[in-house]
DNA sequence: TGCTTGACTTTAC
DNA sequence: AGTAAAGCCAAGC
């Protein structure tokens, strides 16, 4: 069981129409403070890999993280999210308050 | 083997 | 509010 396996395991559990931040994934995978590894792990996942919903992982700002090496897979990511009903704000940001994934919401209030 | 880089986050000016 | 720096760990060279 490698570190990345734990990350992928968490990412696989993100339900459609919801998103999670890198830091959140790291925390759930018992890797608090190691958010970079999450991004690095996802970097190794091929965009066409449908086994892992990599597109549901975004940064803490609610935006799709970009990198010189992505070259368009970021646009693809946005497309996939919109397809699942995730709406982007005027500045191309996702409202985490509404779409953030709540893994274990035992205390359901209101 | 050792140094640099990176799909990040948080805290501090 | 936008910018800067530090912490983290695996991969590539």
């Amino acid at each position: 069981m490698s570190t990345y396996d734990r990350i992928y395991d968490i990412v696989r559990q993100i339900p459609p129409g919801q998103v999670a931040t890198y830091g959140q994934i790291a925390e759930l995978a018992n890797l608090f403070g190691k958010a970079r590894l999450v991004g690095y792990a996802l970097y190794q996942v091929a965009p066409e890999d449908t086994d892992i919903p990599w597109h549901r992982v975004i940064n803490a700002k609610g935006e799709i993280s970009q990198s010189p090496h992505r070259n368009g897979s970021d646009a693809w990511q946005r497309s996939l999210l919109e397809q699942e009903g995730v709406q982007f704000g005027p500045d191309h940001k996702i409202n985490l308050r509404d779409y953030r994934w709540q893994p274990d919401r035992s205390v359901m209030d209101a």
Side-chain angles (χ1 to χ4, degrees):
Chain A
M1 193 60 164
S2 71
T3 305
Y4 284 7
D5 290 328
R6 286 203 296 280
I7 294 174
Y8 297 144
D9 199 41
I10 300 296
V11 175
R12 261 188 288 259
Q13 295 176 40
I14 306 176
Q18 296 191 24
V19 297
T21 65
Y22 294 95
Q24 184 180 2
I25 299 297
E27 190 176 347
L28 291 171
N30 260 313
L31 299 167
F32 183 78
K34 303 167 193 146
R36 306 197 67 158
L37 292 198
V38 178
Y40 209 74
L42 291 180
Y43 173 72
Q44 308 229 9
V45 177
E48 46 271 341
D49 191 336
T50 52
D51 183 45
I52 301 173
W54 56 271
H55 56 280
R56 301 189 190 135
V57 185
I58 59 177
N59 62 27
K61 298 190 291 283
E63 247 302 329
I64 296 173
S65 294
Q66 300 184 25
S67 171
H69 307 299
R70 295 199 65 181
N71 281 322
S73 69
D74 50 344
W76 186 2
Q77 176 170 8
R78 168 167 182 164
S79 182
L80 288 171
L81 289 174
E82 289 179 327
Q83 186 178 327
E84 293 183 351
V86 177
Q87 297 176 2
F88 285 73
D91 43 1
H92 312 290
K93 290 204 271 191
I94 294 175
N95 191 333
L96 287 173
R97 192 185 51 187
D98 296 336
Y99 295 105
R100 188 172 182 266
W101 174 42
Q102 324 273 83
D104 191 337
R105 184 197 295 192
S106 52
V107 184
M108 184 70 91
D109 56 80

